[in-house]
Amino acid sequence: MTATQVQVRAPGKINLALHVGPPRPDGYHPLATLFQAVSLYEDVLARPADEITLELRGRGTDLPTDAGNLAVRAAALLRETGGVDRGVHLTITKQVPVAGGMAGGSADAAATLLACDQLWGTGLSREELAELAAELGADVPFALTGMSAMGVGRGDLVTPVMSRGTYHWVLAVQGEGLSTPHVFTTFDELEGYTVPSAAAPGSGSGSDQAAPDGAGPRVDPGLLAALLSADPLVLAKHLTNDLQDAALDLRPELGDVLAAADRAGALAAVVSGSGPTVAALALDAPHAASVADVMRAAEVAAEVLTVTGPVPGARVLEHVHGRR
């Protein structure tokens, strides 16, 4: 008996806080962030095949389906690591906005690692999968972990964080994404940082060096305490993003989104990650629905969604066995 079909679901994320240090000699920035996984998901269905192939549904159907896609690279990395001589056909149904600062591509990669591990029977532990995830990109390990977690280094060194309660978010999604490298380049310009010409600005894959102990940005202990309080009014005081000014410089209209969230009565609002998605915190589900209605009426976003967090990381939804 062998697996004939495996379905895995992985969540998108928002950054409750994102602190960015000056670029290191390799051009990459030390980060300290607090992730929260939210109820907007990527579903990956893996079936046996001769080669690694990919089909996209939902959002992002114009994205590459070859090695330019992180999910394809994830399957290839696991196949090489596990010494597998089989392929996989991946069908990904995307809900997370593309290039929206919510790590949809990273969720695809995390879900693919777990799905292919189950399909091929490579038997890797979660820790081993997390090591492969870190090779693929800074946000991929968190998509495996989910819930609330602190990320340092490039954001890929993930530590789960205790959190109480459920938080209600309104997401203002833009029709056009933002390039993470462009946001980091603009951040450096605004901060007056000089990046070595041979280095590529950014925070993502390309360096696995963490900042030395005692160096680099840190997450505010007040934010960690706020998550334990289960009180969104307390959490609202700690939402912050060092990349927000850079995102606003590239897309000034995001200022209108933040202003609309404030007028709508959101407790606080912040650009998520490198943007352009804006996450507005609400008191509860009815309040989130009210904030969303006002923001839709303001016509400052292509789409306005309501989600909750934290939610679990990548998990198997279906595992079908049969004879081959």
Side-chain angles (χ1 to χ4, degrees):
M1 301 292 286
T2 185
T4 59
Q5 178 172 299
V6 180
Q7 184 177 1
V8 173
R9 172 169 287 176
K13 60 82 181 169
I14 56 177
N15 298 80
L16 307 186
L18 176 57
H19 302 286
V20 183
R24 301 181 309 223
D26 61 7
Y28 288 85
H29 299 72
L31 305 179
T33 187
L34 202 298
F35 298 111
Q36 186 169 99
V38 296
S39 58
L40 204 58
Y41 300 100
E42 306 283 276
D43 284 346
V44 174
L45 182 64
R47 295 189 179 100
D50 293 330
E51 302 296 333
I52 298 174
T53 56
L54 172 62
E55 173 187 357
L56 294 170
R57 296 177 181 174
R59 301 179 189 268
T61 53
D62 57 344
L63 291 172
T65 55
D66 56 11
N69 191 290
L70 202 57
V72 172
R73 296 208 295 274
L77 178 61
L78 181 64
R79 183 167 69 170
E80 179 184 359
T81 302
V84 175
D85 59 2
R86 288 173 282 158
V88 62
H89 179 70
L90 301 168
T91 303
I92 299 182
T93 303
K94 298 181 65 63
Q95 290 186 3
V96 179
V98 175
M102 294 188 65
S106 297
D108 293 340
T112 296
L113 286 174
L114 184 55
C116 290
D117 176 65
Q118 296 283 314
L119 186 73
W120 293 333
T122 47
L124 270 63
S125 67
R126 277 283 176 146
E127 291 74 17
E128 290 169 321
L129 289 175
E131 289 178 9
L132 295 183
E135 291 185 38
L136 292 163
D139 289 336
V140 184
F142 174 70
L144 281 173
T145 303
M147 300 306 287
S148 298
M150 185 165 52
V152 297
R154 294 181 293 120
D156 58 325
L157 303 175
V158 176
T159 305
V161 167
M162 286 291 295
S163 178
R164 294 194 178 100
T166 295
Y167 298 92
H168 296 265
W169 301 92
V170 177
L171 304 179
V173 179
Q174 301 302 312
E176 182 182 352
L178 262 176
S179 161
T180 297
H182 289 167
V183 174
F184 272 94
T185 298
T186 303
F187 169 79
D188 289 335
E189 292 171 353
L190 292 175
E191 295 293 328
Y193 294 144
T194 301
V195 182
S197 58
S203 68
S205 58
S207 170
D208 55 6
Q209 299 173 4
D213 289 342
R218 293 181 177 275
V219 171
D220 179 7
L223 172 57
L224 304 180
L227 285 172
L228 285 174
S229 76
D231 187 345
L233 289 166
V234 177
L235 180 62
K237 299 174 183 177
H238 295 279
L239 301 185
T240 185
N241 182 359
D242 287 355
L243 294 181
Q244 182 161 299
D245 286 347
L248 285 165
D249 188 79
L250 289 168
R251 298 282 285 277
E253 64 270 23
L254 292 180
D256 297 333
V257 184
L258 293 166
D262 185 56
R263 290 196 305 273
L267 304 182
V270 67
V271 172
S272 177
S274 57
T277 302
V278 169
L281 181 60
L283 193 60
D284 51 26
H287 185 219
S290 172
V291 170
D293 286 344
V294 173
M295 293 186 71
R296 288 188 190 103
E299 298 183 346
V300 292
E303 192 175 4
V304 178
L305 307 169
T306 56
V307 299
T308 59
V311 300
R315 64 195 190 279
V316 177
L317 296 184
E318 182 184 42
H319 196 299
V320 178
H321 286 83
R323 296 191 182 278
R324 285 192 71 205

